Amino acid sequence: MAGRFIISKDKTGVFRFKLVAGNGQTLAVSEGYASKAACVNGVEATRRHAVDAKIDDSALEPLRL
């Protein structure tokens, strides 16, 4: 099953999206958006830019595999 974006509106009226993996795990949660249209634009921007996104590792510890 492919991942999906879920758009919701919280108690304060702010829209957010989250990216959920096929196994149901939440991978990312967006900032708050004042309108649903702005939230959908955020989803589309994430789709466009995540494909070529690089990892900027600013962690103080090295990765141990």
Side-chain angles (χ1 to χ4, degrees), residues 31-46:
E31 63 181 332
Y33 294 91
S35 70
K36 187 173 182 179
C39 189
V40 170
N41 286 339
V43 168
E44 293 304 326
T46 301

Side-chain angles (χ1 to χ4, degrees), residues 7-44:
I7 295 174
S8 61
K9 188 175 184 181
D10 69 19
K11 295 176 188 177
T12 65
V14 174
F15 292 89
R16 296 180 191 281
F17 69 83
K18 62 182 176 178
L19 175 58
V20 179
N23 66 0
Q25 180 180 3
T26 298
L27 301 174
V29 178
S30 74
E31 63 181 332
Y33 294 91
S35 70
K36 187 173 182 179
C39 189
V40 170
N41 286 339
V43 168
E44 293 304 326

Side-chain angles (χ1 to χ4, degrees), residues 55 57 59-65:
I55 296 173
D57 185 358
L60 298 176
E61 297 180 18
L63 178 63
R64 294 187 181 113
L65 299 176

